[in-house]
Amino acid sequence: MSKKIELNYKIKQAKAYIKKFYEDNNGNVYVSYSGGKDSTVLLHIARQLYPNIKAVFSNTTNENDEVIKFVKNTANVDWVYPTYKGKPVNFIWAMEHYGFPFISKEVSQKVNEAKNTHSEKLRNKRLYGDEKGNGKLPKVHQWLIDEKFNLSNKCCDLLKKRPLLKYEAKTGLKPLVALMKSESMLRTQLAMNGKEFVKKGYPFLRTGWDEDDIWEYAKRYNIRFAECYYGEEAKKRTGCEFCAFGILKNRNKLDEVKYKKPKLYRKIMNTKNNGVTYSEALEKILKRADYASGY
């Protein structure tokens, strides 16, 4: 099957999925819109079927400026913002209260649970795994349990997911999400098997879309994404600017914001969790990784 025919089929399948999800929920549907390329294509497809469908952008306070600009120029978008007990919060607040987003969501969650849980069963699971060996924090990262600073995956929940959940509770709308299989195994498993499955629609995940399909669709329909996707410094994905998930695979992940936003960069790097700065914790993690790999 040629790529053109294959994409035609996937577009048809995605539209059928969206239509069924829309009708099953009596039209009470919105598009979860990050301003990234995947959700931009999803919104374009959805609005071919339903021109007035709402898009909702969750501003994490840690967004790329070019994405913010792009979203502002998109029609019919509701913006939501993070709060805690009714008060506005941001990325710095999340790190101070919960911990730093290092390595990956899975590692950060397991470190935090092993470090702070009152359940001996859960702690043992994170240290040694269950009877099948599942759920164990890799030994290479277990030293983090004894560190003064916390790691956490809760920033995404606080800054992005909760504002959307509040929006859904207030409006009664359910989201269409542009998740694909190329994303993290944890996100994919939750989407396919978790409680969110019945509450959310995943057109791309359910119809086999991949990165090439997104770019081919954009080319076909003359869609221009946010400018951060183009040029010499083009990003494959956007995501939160100062987040250090994936830092061991991409040591230069924070270099761009270091030079583009030096004042904010210094503020972020000086943010403390349990008396340890973001910069100090990150340096320690990178040095341990180098030591473990033999460098």
Side-chain angles (χ1 to χ4, degrees):
M1 184 184 295
S2 72
K3 192 66 179 175
K4 181 178 180 180
I5 295 174
E6 184 181 354
L7 181 59
N8 289 342
Y9 176 76
K10 288 182 179 180
I11 293 171
K12 183 178 179 180
Q13 291 296 100
K15 284 183 175 180
Y17 181 99
I18 291 168
K19 186 176 181 181
K20 184 177 188 307
F21 186 80
Y22 189 92
E23 291 175 350
D24 286 348
N25 290 286
N26 300 312
N28 296 314
V29 173
Y30 75 91
V31 174
S32 182
Y33 183 56
S34 69
K37 59 180 175 45
D38 301 347
S39 63
T40 297
V41 168
L42 176 59
L43 183 60
H44 186 271
I45 295 173
R47 285 184 173 170
Q48 285 186 328
L49 295 169
Y50 309 104
N52 296 319
I53 193 170
K54 183 76 70 176
V56 182
F57 174 66
S58 186
N59 188 343
T60 64
T61 73
N62 192 16
E63 301 290 333
N64 184 292
D65 289 344
E66 291 167 342
V67 168
I68 292 289
K69 181 180 179 181
F70 186 77
V71 175
K72 285 181 177 178
N73 289 322
T74 304
N76 196 17
V77 180
D78 283 349
W79 292 50
V80 294
Y81 301 86
T83 60
Y84 182 79
K85 294 185 177 179
K87 296 182 179 180
V89 293
N90 57 24
F91 180 59
I92 289 176
W93 188 95
M95 291 195 295
E96 290 173 338
H97 287 77
Y98 293 131
F100 299 131
F102 289 148
I103 306 173
S104 71
K105 288 183 181 180
E106 293 89 335
V107 168
S108 291
Q109 178 183 347
K110 289 175 180 178
V111 169
N112 194 290
E113 289 173 345
K115 186 182 181 75
N116 298 303
T117 184
H118 297 294
S119 167
E120 185 177 351
K121 181 179 179 180
L122 179 57
R123 180 177 171 84
N124 286 335
K125 182 178 180 180
R126 294 300 177 233
L127 290 174
Y128 311 111
D130 59 18
E131 60 275 4
K132 294 183 179 179
N134 298 321
K136 179 181 177 181
L137 173 67
K139 282 189 176 181
V140 69
H141 299 309
Q142 288 191 9
W143 64 275
L144 287 161
I145 297 171
D146 299 318
E147 288 298 309
K148 190 176 180 181
F149 60 89
N150 282 314
L151 269 64
S152 178
N153 67 327
K154 292 182 179 179
C155 53
C156 184
D157 179 70
L158 172 72
L159 302 177
K160 188 169 186 176
K161 292 181 181 179
R162 289 189 202 175
L164 291 172
L165 289 174
K166 289 177 182 178
Y167 179 89
E168 291 162 21
K170 182 179 179 180
T171 63
L173 301 182
K174 291 185 179 180
L176 288 164
V177 184
L179 181 71
M180 296 193 297
K181 285 186 178 180
S182 57
E183 300 194 41
S184 75
M185 182 63 70
L186 177 61
R187 287 194 68 192
T188 302
Q189 287 176 345
L190 288 174
M192 297 290 280
N193 306 306
K195 294 179 181 179
E196 294 181 349
F197 170 65
V198 295
K199 299 178 181 179
K200 299 182 180 182
Y202 299 95
F204 293 157
L205 184 62
R206 289 293 177 178
T207 57
W209 282 60
D210 59 26
E211 199 87 6
D212 291 340
D213 296 321
I214 295 296
W215 284 104
E216 184 60 33
Y217 185 95
K219 180 180 178 182
R220 180 180 296 189
Y221 289 94
N222 196 29
I223 297 172
R224 179 81 179 180
F225 300 128
E227 289 306 307
C228 52
Y229 285 106
Y230 306 98
E232 293 182 5
E233 301 297 326
K235 295 178 180 291
K236 186 176 181 181
R237 305 198 66 79
T238 50
C240 297
E241 280 197 316
F242 289 95
C243 177
F245 289 144
I247 196 70
L248 296 185
K249 294 181 180 179
N250 180 11
R251 298 296 186 93
N252 302 319
K253 188 174 184 183
L254 302 179
D255 285 356
E256 183 180 348
V257 286
K258 179 178 181 179
Y259 297 107
K260 282 178 63 177
K261 301 179 179 179
K263 187 175 180 179
L264 181 56
Y265 179 85
R266 289 193 295 271
K267 188 174 183 180
I268 295 288
M269 288 297 154
N270 287 324
T271 298
K272 292 182 179 180
N273 178 269
N274 291 337
V276 181
T277 68
Y278 191 85
S279 177
E280 291 168 341
L282 180 58
E283 183 180 5
K284 196 165 191 177
I285 283 174
L286 294 178
K287 283 185 176 179
R288 280 295 287 251
D290 287 341
Y291 177 79
S293 63
Y295 288 104

